Amino acid sequence: SAADAAGYGDFCDQLQNNRFGFRFELSLFAATMQGDNAPRSIIQALGKIASEEEKWDMVVIIRGGGATTDLGCFDNYELASHCAQFPLPILSGIGHTRDLSIVDMVAHRSVKTPTAAAEWLIERTAEQVELINQLELRLQRATQHAVSQENNKLQAYLQRMSHAVQRLLIQEQNRLQ
C-alpha cells in the first residue's frame, strides 16, 4: 500500500481494533499504487519482502477503490507474474466489489477491499485459535486417558506384588514352623 492511503489506514484500524484482541505484526513496504510506475514500485516492494521471506507469513496488497483507470496497474503482466510466483501467499484487497484485476486472480486469496482483507486475516486467525483450543482439549483428554490407563496398570501390578509378597511370607512362615 501507499503509506498515506485511506485504505491502508482502514486496514490497520480494523486489525488493531478487532473483537478478539489479536495483535498483528505489520510492516509497510510502501509502493506507488496507481499510474505507470506502480507495477515497478510494487515489484520492488515484493523484492524487499522476498529478501527477508522468513520473517513473514503473508503479503497483503491493498488499495482502496477508484476509477477503473486508476486500478489498471494491477492488470500488468509482469506484476501479476511476480504475484503468481511469489514464495509467500498474497492476499489482495484492491478496489471495490465490482473491481477485479489480474493480480486478484493470481493472488492466493482476493477480497473486495482493504477492510475486508483485515477482516479475512482476523477470521482466519480466530479459526486457527479455535483449532488450537480443540487440539489442546483433545490432547488433555488423551493424556488423562493414558495416565489413567497407566495408573490402573500400576495399581494392578502393585496388587499382584502385594499378593505375591503375602504368599512368600506365608510360605516362609510355614517353612520356619
Side-chain angles (χ1 to χ4, degrees), residues 54-84:
E54 68 283 348
K55 287 184 173 183
W56 311 111
D57 297 315
M58 163 171 263
V59 174
V60 182
I61 298 176
I62 51 175
R63 185 201 190 284
T68 304
T69 54
D70 292 342
L71 302 175
C73 64
F74 297 103
D75 291 330
N76 176 277
Y77 173 80
E78 189 177 357
L79 175 57
S81 177
H82 271 79
C83 290

Side-chain angles (χ1 to χ4, degrees), residues 6-171:
Y8 178 65
D10 293 345
F11 173 79
C12 291
D13 185 57
Q14 189 78 11
L15 286 179
Q16 290 172 353
N17 298 310
N18 68 81
R19 65 188 174 278
F20 299 103
F22 297 142
R23 291 186 57 211
F24 292 88
E25 182 180 332
L26 305 173
S27 281
L28 175 64
F29 292 82
T32 302
M33 301 305 281
Q34 75 181 51
D36 294 339
N37 294 329
R40 181 175 46 244
S41 179
I42 298 168
I43 290 169
Q44 288 173 347
L46 289 171
K48 290 175 188 172
I49 296 166
S51 72
E52 49 186 44
E53 166 190 354
E54 68 283 348
K55 287 184 173 183
W56 311 111
D57 297 315
M58 163 171 263
V59 174
V60 182
I61 298 176
I62 51 175
R63 185 201 190 284
T68 304
T69 54
D70 292 342
L71 302 175
C73 64
F74 297 103
D75 291 330
N76 176 277
Y77 173 80
E78 189 177 357
L79 175 57
S81 177
H82 271 79
C83 290
Q85 299 175 56
F86 202 72
L88 294 169
I90 292 180
L91 170 64
S92 70
I94 302 168
H96 294 296
T97 304
R98 68 181 187 278
D99 302 318
L100 182 65
S101 70
I102 295 172
V103 167
D104 288 321
M105 290 186 243
V106 300
H108 174 77
R109 174 72 65 179
S110 174
V111 294
K112 299 174 186 179
T113 64
T115 301
E119 195 56 38
W120 187 88
L121 290 170
I122 293 164
E123 291 303 319
R124 297 303 76 71
T125 302
E127 288 172 4
Q128 293 304 306
V129 167
E130 179 58 29
L131 177 61
I132 289 168
N133 289 340
Q134 289 174 7
L135 290 172
E136 180 183 26
L137 186 59
R138 286 175 55 192
L139 180 60
Q140 285 175 347
R141 288 178 183 157
T143 302
Q144 288 170 348
H145 180 71
V147 168
S148 177
Q149 282 186 321
E150 291 303 313
N151 191 36
N152 290 342
K153 287 179 188 176
L154 180 60
Q155 292 304 318
Y157 177 72
L158 289 173
Q159 194 171 22
R160 285 193 310 268
M161 288 295 293
S162 176
H163 290 305
V165 167
Q166 286 178 352
R167 276 194 312 267
L168 270 173
L169 283 174
I170 291 170
Q171 285 175 355

